[in-house]
Amino acid sequence: MELTTFVRGIISLLVVLGFAPLFAGLVNKLKAIFTGRLGAPVLQPYSDLKRLFRKETINANSSSFISVISPTINLVAVVIAAAMLPIGFERPLISFEGDIILFAYILGLARFFQILAAMDIGSSFEGMGASREAAFAVFAEPIFFFTLGSIAFISGLTSIYEIYHSIRLDNVTYIVFIIVCSISVFILAVTECSRMPVDDPKTHLELTMIHEVMILDNSGVDLFLYQYSSHIKLFIYAILETSFFYPFGIRSYTVAIVIFVVVITALSISLAIVETITSRFKMKSIPHYLLFATAIGILNLLIYTFTV
Amino acid sequence: MLEFSVLILFPLFCTGVCYLLKSIRTQYIISMFVSSFHLIFSLMIFIGWYEPNLPFFFSTDSLSKLFLLVISNVYFWVVLVSFSYLRRPALAKSEEGKRYYFLLLNFYLFANTAAILSNHFGMYWVAAEATTLSVAPLIYFYRNEEALEAMWKYLFLVSVGIAFAFIGILFLILASKGTILEGHQLFFSEFVKKAAVLNPVWLKASFIFIFVGLSTKIGIAPMHSGDVDATSNAPSPIAALMSGSLRITALLGVLRIFQIVSPTSTHEFAKTILVIGGLISLFVAFIYMFKVNNYKRLLAYSSVEHLGIIALGIGIGGIAFIGAMYHVIYNSLNKMVLFFTAGNIHRKFKTREVSGVTSVLNILPLTGWMFLLSFFAISAIPPFGIFFSELMIFQGMLFSDKPWILFITMFLLLFIFINMGKTIFQMLYSKNENEEILLEKEKFEIIHFATIVILILLIAIAVISPEILRDNILNISKDFGIKL
Amino acid sequence: MVFIQSCSHSIIQLMIGNFSVLASLGYKLIKNIMQNVLSILFCLSLFYLSVTSRVKAYVTVLQFQGVLLTVLLVFPFIGHFSIYALILPATLFFVKVILIPKYIKKIILDLDIKRTIEPTIQQITFLLIIIFSMTIIFIISNVLSKSTDIETIPFASGFTAIAVGIFVIIYRKKLIVHVAGFLVLENGIFLFGTAVASELPMMIEIGVLLDVFVVVFLMGIAINKISSTLSGFDVTALGRLKD
Amino acid sequence: MDLLFYALVVQIASIIVIASVRNNHKASAAAHLLLTAGLVLGLSSSFPALVFSNSSSLNFSSLLNPANIFRFDSLGLFFLNIIQLVAIPTTIYSHSYLRHYIDEGKSVTSNFIFFVLMIVSTQVVVIANHAILFLICWEVMSTTAYLGILFEKEKRDVQTGSFYYLAVSHVAVFLLYIFFFLLHQQTNSWLMSDFHNLQNTGSLFILLYTLGLTAFGIKSGFMPFHFWLPRAHPIAPTIFSAFLSGIIIKMGIYGIFRTYQFFNYAPEWLGWLVLGISLISAIFGVWYALAQHDIKRLLAYHSVENIGIIGIGIGVGFIGSAYNSLPIQILGFGGALLHTLNHAIFKTLLFIGSGVIYQNLGTRNIESMGGLVHRSRYFFILFLIGSIAISGLPPFNGFISEFIIFNGFFTTAKELKNYYPLLMIISAVGLAFVGGLAVACFTKINSIMFLGTERKEIKKFHISNYEYLSLSILAFFCVLIGVYPQPFIGIVNKVLNNGFVTANHSSELLNINWLFISIIFIALLAAIILIFFLKRLIQKKYGKRISAPWGCGYEGLNYRMQYTASSYADELNEIPKSILVYHKKVQSPKGIFPAKGSFESHSVDLIDSKILLPAFRSMSKLICRIKFLSYTDIRYYIAFILITITIYSVIAFLWN
């Protein structure tokens, strides 16, 4: 790997890490506006993180070392996943044949430890969240393979960077395919990042939460790490979504930045709209929702395979 | 004359001696002496160190050499364990039986040897009937109702059956009418040489009658009942004797007629009949195994099964025939172990009901393990011999013109194994709830020694696979006109 | 009864037929005639056996059959008499006419067995079965005799006796009658054997006789024991051994 | 290779030691030492043989190998290495395991003998060249394993479970008889080295292939033949269940590889069949596992899952073979082989771990465990490594093999185009789904068993050094293969080149950049440690304390308020309810002053309880009704003679 590529990869990664909370803030702000509130400033997530960083850490007395290392592993895993994403047309820091699998599985590692950490407390609230997380994640992974994976299978490429580069927006069927794929990714993002309608990040009722309830007993730096990694995760999915619409043929920074900003904004708007107009599903019907998304994926795939 | 006197006259003489002697110990010693001599001689004849030249209606060939060794071996072990068996306290009723025990055994040996070495169908018939007669009182050893009933049934059924075999022999004479064989007085060796001239109609009839008649003694279904009753109610050494050698003696008769039939046009028919008999036997064992409640009966049915397999092997021919010959050896060894150990179990638990036997492995560890191992052996699990012989039989079946037989056989054997295993394992493992069973340590007796040696023998013969044995069996198959 | 008549008529026809054909053959002819006559007598004894309901009649029939067989054996030696040749008939006579019937009688007396045989089916049905099988056997024998040189009548009579023996065992309950049935069967085989040829060496024949005697002897002991321990003389007492 | 022979002799010698020495503890120690030495010796001869030398030159000296009954090819050596590698830690564990029983006064001699015989016969199975020798060792292996399972034979479920195993082995070996007979007939040889290029056997081809695959498939526990695993594994003593799950079911995989090798070709439909069955095995294996509460039973179902994953690899390889595509074959078979190794390692680790727990707590029910992490943190870490590895998560070994299999999917799609991408996506999704379920399942057992607070009072929790040692060895390999897979990939490559694909030796496992993965994983571990210490520093600055967990304001939290395994998995198990035969017993609290509520869930095996047992029962009911041939009256006996003679005569009459 050449040094410049490496440096550029690092820069891409830093962009992701830096802008992740901003995206969350943007979504929250938009959502507030849509609901007629003023809302917190866009940069509020940064302040929140800063506040958490300085707080005292409290661990539950029944917890073990899992609670201690889990936030760390979570962050590292998410960051490594982020390092595989192409920002613009740059080759990401980690890019090799088959990194799409690593991408999925490394997020799985993060989830594994998050669930363990939740169960570590020995409280039924965290257990509830962990159970739900485990159940929904089971369905989320197939969606991933039906969307990004399907492009990989069709193009025969196994590196995320190359997969995105293979997207050609000059074929009508392909465009339809990509659009439906992006819908799937959107659903995936909603699930994985615990947004509405799967989960309500702003609720205050423990019984109805998924992600938030899992970190109920974390505070201070631990909570900081969790929150930060969940911001990054949301941003990762945002980038996955963005990259569908990215004309990789054009290698110009200006265009890249403009498109990036535009698409990200559009995405945050749509996310905010969805969060505004829908209410949270019943827990029991979430698997159906996910299966629905899977079905879309299969249908999409069938259309593509038999028309192109 | 030496061989004749050692093999035939000596046992007969000792029968008389045993009648005169009162002490069971002396009788035992004499019988041991006779049996070891017999065994040594059979072995010598088998190996070929001694070329026998028998008078009258007797002669030897590869088949009788092999069978002689088998029955002699079985007899030796049975006599060996008999004394310790007779000394067991629980036999108050059978004082009378003890008195005639060795006498009858000696007579049995005499009759059995005569049957196996006979070169004449008439002689064979007389001797075979004599074995029935010597065994019948031994079945009644326990002097209880079941034993009496078993003895009656066995005696009656086998007598009728063997009468039918006699008819078969007469048919054989008819078959030779008007041919050069007429007047040759039913010598096997003559018949075998010129079998092709025999009248096929009578030959078929002869085969049917001899096969069905002797089936009562071999235990081929559906004539197995008397045999099963007797084997399951006789004392275990006698049961071992019946399963291990008496059935083999009867099988010899069928083999003789089969050998005569081999070069003729009736051959295929005889093979079919044997296959049918074998399959029915397997099927009967298969049915019984679903409703076992008496473990000695289980073993008796297992004998039916294995004699059925042997009949199948003979009927299929080719390599299956060779497998069947091996199976004869292994089965007789294996059945001894099974019956000896079953006898130990019976002594401890005083019941033949499966439900009354529990936790054998804990109560009688040595017997239990031997029983388990011999069950594995009889289920054709290597390295025990039956594995090899069954393998050959299976192979023969698969490459015969009727491969479907193999699938039927395997299906039946599989369920026999499953159900037999279920029963035996229940006996071996289930928790002991019977308070009356004393938990004393099992003593090492001569019967344990015998079982261990036989099991080792069972492995050793299979694994070492002596050249001499193989040559002998190949000779037999050559005598039967089998091309490999 | 009409059926029996017609049947016996045909048998006599057959016999006479043989008679006329073999008329010129001297000794062999006489032997043949005698053989046939004795066989017919044998068959008649079988009929008697099937209709009688007394146990003692069985013994008498056995004795009678024994005499017939002895005569049959002695007959060939009329021309060239020798003591040696008489050993077998003498033994036969001793065993089948004296020893065994006496022994059975003794058992009957000792055990005080009821005199009737307690059949399981009607006598007439039994007779019909026997006649039916007899007819079949005769027809088959006649067919077979065309291809092989066998004496049809002794052959068929012997075989009928075997069948009757089996049927007696199958359709009667008393154990002692079973023994009698077995002996009828043995007699049948013997008759049949003489029909086939006297191929068997004498030693063997005597061995066979001895065997039969010992079998009967053992059966007698067994019946004794059964009546004392199981208190019964018939098969219903023997039902302990089940699968 | 004579060294291997001596190694086997040394292993067998341990039997003599344990049988002859009177003092139980000393005898056991000496015998285990000897066995371990024998295994190490064996490994030291078989490992260089696999890695360094050309397998065609390997052999016993001719005295030990009459008529070539043994052979050492790469495939056999690969499995031999796996066996020895896994047997060593198992033996080490066995020492401390059996010591407990010796302390209780139970005789362990026979059990140890079976253990040794099982290990030795398994080793001979993979080097046997003569088909009959193979069958003998195969049966000895099955039988000794059976006898070993019977350790606690008084228990009812032990009897049934072990018997299931025995019966199923018997079925498998019957099929193998036919299989080898036919092969013998085709090639006129009993040597496996002569069984090759059998694709021209015409109509026998399909029969042979199905026979071989079914027989070995039964042994390895593919669905629907998996039912014996969850019966047999839980009840076996730990050393046996570890070996059963780790090695013996792999012998089925060995057989499947051999079968393929005999033909050196697989038709496409077979590839799809294997792939389909394997996917079903994998998905439902893990789903069944999720519904279990018995830790060993759960692990047994996970064996079904992993066998399924191996089978997926094999299926992909078959498809590659059908299209004669080298990369697909390498990835498919390579993934399967590597996963075989991996699964042997982590499944043994997990089974030994579960055995340690069982020995300390006396229960296998995970619902009554909890909080074990506070008893022994290192033990939990080792168990956790195994769990992560088996879930296929990076950076441990399970990921590597699944990664290769995924790549196999991609490559198949790329190479074969047409409708393949679609089918491959479905397979990939299936595998991803399995991964997701495995994560759910292993988070379940780890958290219920180790985390939270103790559900039942634990009297003692002691883990001996031997147990730590054996677990550590296995965990070490989990990490090693995960972080530094190159050498292992190289070995797999060699095996493939020497027996499967006729490619040149340079064909690496394609263009996967293993070094990259190593770097990432090392970076991952390094970053975790780094951030962990950074966090420590920060916490030092801003403070850290311990407090009671949040209970929604409720202060009286206790151990009974923890989430249970049943509740944890309920949501997922609800979905395939009928297949899992998933029953729930819910007693919800009602009223103003609610009484005690409860929730229980059970799952039984569909094949076992709904098909097999009822079929067997109705069959035996039917057969017990047959009264024919079992009369007690002697008159019937006599009548049978007559009837039989008549029937035979009729046959004779009709005979031409």
Side-chain angles (χ1 to χ4, degrees), chain B residues 123 126 129 133 140 145 148-149 152 156 163-164 166-167 170-171 173-174 177 183 202 233 297 301, chain C residues 144 148-150 159 162 178 189 192 196 199 204 211 215 219 225 229-230 238-243:
Chain B
M123 188 64 226
V126 171
E129 178 72 6
L133 298 178
Y140 185 45
E145 287 100 341
L148 183 59
E149 185 182 334
W152 170 264
F156 200 84
F164 272 94
F166 196 77
I167 301 171
L170 293 176
F171 280 151
I173 297 174
L174 271 179
K177 262 216 163 148
W202 293 114
N233 287 290
R297 241 180 139 71
Y301 269 101
Chain C
L144 287 174
T148 330
D149 174 27
I150 49 168
F159 231 103
I162 293 165
H178 282 189
I189 292 174
F192 173 72
V196 167
E199 281 265 358
I204 305 268
D211 274 344
V215 166
M219 283 177 181
K225 295 276 182 194
T229 51
L230 302 177
L238 302 173
R240 268 157 220 279
L241 304 179
K242 285 189 209 101
D243 274 351

Side-chain angles (χ1 to χ4, degrees), chain D residues 136-250:
Chain D
I136 293 172
C137 294
W138 182 269
E139 276 288 79
V140 171
M141 171 184 89
S142 307
T143 316
T144 45
Y146 164 76
L147 290 170
I149 294 174
L150 279 175
F151 193 45
E152 294 173 292
K153 49 191 170 292
E154 292 80 14
K155 292 184 182 159
R156 192 90 193 105
D157 55 341
V158 175
Q159 291 163 23
T160 39
S162 58
F163 190 63
Y164 260 72
Y165 169 70
L166 191 64
V168 169
S169 306
H170 216 69
V171 177
V173 87
F174 270 174
L175 295 177
L176 282 184
Y177 289 167
I178 306 179
F179 179 59
F180 281 115
F181 289 156
L182 289 172
L183 285 175
H184 170 65
Q185 190 213 24
Q186 289 296 317
T187 57
N188 216 359
S189 161
W190 282 115
L191 297 184
M192 290 208 214
S193 48
D194 293 340
F195 300 160
H196 43 61
N197 290 329
L198 288 164
Q199 64 262 54
N200 302 324
T201 42
S203 58
L204 267 181
F205 176 73
I206 293 173
L207 177 68
L208 273 175
Y209 235 126
T210 19
L211 267 176
L213 293 191
T214 317
F216 290 119
I218 290 173
K219 191 74 188 179
S220 39
F222 281 100
M223 283 194 178
F225 307 118
H226 67 284
F227 52 86
W228 64 272
L229 283 137
R231 287 267 190 176
H233 289 205
I235 43 109
T238 306
I239 46 175
F240 282 91
S241 49
F243 202 77
L244 262 178
S245 206
I247 297 300
I248 290 189
I249 60 170
K250 301 302 181 317

Side-chain angles (χ1 to χ4, degrees), chain D residues 498-563:
Chain D
N498 280 346
F500 283 86
V501 286
T502 41
N504 48 348
H505 281 245
S506 61
S507 71
E508 275 298 307
L509 264 171
L510 298 169
N511 42 5
I512 296 167
N513 198 340
W514 295 108
L515 194 66
F516 214 116
I517 290 180
S518 293
I519 292 170
I520 294 168
F521 288 170
I522 290 166
L524 174 85
L525 294 174
I528 289 170
I529 293 165
L530 187 73
I531 295 184
F532 178 73
F533 282 108
L534 270 177
K535 201 181 92 176
R536 274 296 232 347
L537 283 178
I538 295 162
Q539 280 174 346
K540 217 170 242 174
K541 192 172 171 194
Y542 295 112
K544 179 187 175 179
R545 70 184 159 93
I546 286 178
S547 152
W550 168 242
C552 247
Y554 179 67
E555 290 289 313
L557 285 177
N558 66 13
Y559 69 94
R560 288 184 52 209
M561 293 182 160
Q562 296 178 89
Y563 231 55

Side-chain angles (χ1 to χ4, degrees), chain B residues 43 132 139-140 144 172 206 227 237 239 273 314 335 340 359 400 405 414 416 418 464 466 480:
Chain B
L43 200 60
T132 314
I139 296 169
Y140 185 45
N144 58 16
L172 197 59
S206 167
D227 224 355
I273 294 294
I314 297 168
K335 277 288 140 56
F340 287 169
S359 192
S400 70
I405 294 174
L414 180 69
I416 288 173
I418 288 176
I464 297 166
F480 278 75

Side-chain angles (χ1 to χ4, degrees), chain B residues 45-225:
Chain B
I45 291 174
F46 183 78
I47 294 171
W49 287 344
Y50 191 91
E51 204 47 57
N53 184 20
L54 294 161
F56 309 123
F57 305 113
F58 302 103
S59 75
T60 54
D61 61 354
S62 311
L63 184 62
S64 55
K65 275 181 194 168
L66 177 68
F67 276 39
L68 183 67
L69 185 63
V70 171
I71 65 122
S72 183
N73 177 45
V74 172
Y75 182 80
F76 174 79
W77 293 107
V78 167
V79 172
L80 186 69
V81 302
S82 282
F83 187 61
S84 77
Y85 187 83
L86 290 184
R87 277 202 313 192
R88 290 178 182 175
L91 301 172
K93 253 179 160 179
S94 37
E95 272 311 314
E96 194 192 343
K98 282 183 195 173
R99 193 135 44 88
Y100 295 111
Y101 187 88
F102 286 110
L103 181 147
L104 289 165
L105 272 186
N106 275 311
F107 186 71
Y108 171 82
L109 180 63
F110 155 71
N112 211 349
T113 315
I116 281 180
L117 293 179
S118 62
N119 184 26
H120 185 278
F121 267 115
M123 188 64 226
Y124 172 78
W125 190 90
V126 171
E129 178 72 6
T131 55
T132 314
L133 298 178
S134 58
V135 157
L138 287 171
I139 296 169
Y140 185 45
F141 181 77
Y142 281 126
R143 300 290 188 267
N144 58 16
E145 287 100 341
E146 283 87 5
L148 183 59
E149 185 182 334
M151 170 196 166
W152 170 264
K153 283 181 172 170
Y154 183 73
L155 185 64
F156 200 84
L157 183 71
V158 171
S159 298
V160 172
I162 213 158
F164 272 94
F166 196 77
I167 301 171
I169 293 169
L170 293 176
F171 280 151
L172 197 59
I173 297 174
L174 271 179
S176 70
K177 262 216 163 148
T179 68
I180 41 167
L181 281 170
E182 189 169 2
H184 276 97
Q185 300 207 319
L186 287 174
F187 285 102
F188 294 133
S189 37
E190 297 294 323
F191 268 73
V192 170
K193 268 182 231 152
K194 300 175 185 111
V197 300
L198 293 170
N199 180 339
V201 177
W202 293 114
L203 198 56
K204 267 181 208 156
S206 167
F207 182 79
I208 292 171
F209 274 78
I210 292 182
F211 177 60
V212 172
L214 288 178
S215 283
T216 55
K217 223 165 144 65
I218 308 176
I220 300 279
M223 281 69 67
H224 60 285
S225 321

Side-chain angles (χ1 to χ4, degrees), chain D residues 109-147:
Chain D
T109 314
S110 56
N111 216 41
F112 182 77
I113 291 173
F114 299 139
F115 184 62
V116 176
L117 285 177
M118 178 173 73
I119 290 178
V120 172
S121 59
T122 317
Q123 289 175 65
V124 183
V125 162
V126 296
I127 59 168
N129 191 21
H130 197 283
I132 302 291
L133 180 70
F134 175 86
L135 282 177
I136 293 172
C137 294
W138 182 269
E139 276 288 79
V140 171
M141 171 184 89
S142 307
T143 316
T144 45
Y146 164 76
L147 290 170

Side-chain angles (χ1 to χ4, degrees), chain A residues 56-62 68 72 98 101 105 109 115-116 119 122 124 131 153 156 158 206 216-217 221-222, chain D residues 374 392 394 402-403 406 410 414 425 447 451 524 528 532 535 538 542-547 550 561-562 568:
Chain A
E56 183 192 24
T57 312
I58 306 173
N59 279 35
N61 51 14
S62 54
V68 179
T72 326
I101 302 157
Y105 273 79
L109 183 71
I115 293 171
L116 278 189
M119 294 296 283
S124 48
S131 161
F153 275 105
T158 50
E206 291 88 342
L216 206 58
D217 267 288
V221 184
D222 284 346
Chain D
H374 303 296
E402 286 195 28
F403 182 75
F406 266 116
F410 283 117
K414 191 162 82 180
I425 292 169
S447 45
L451 303 178
L524 174 85
I528 289 170
F532 178 73
K535 201 181 92 176
I538 295 162
Y542 295 112
K544 179 187 175 179
R545 70 184 159 93
I546 286 178
S547 152
W550 168 242
M561 293 182 160
Q562 296 178 89
Y568 184 86

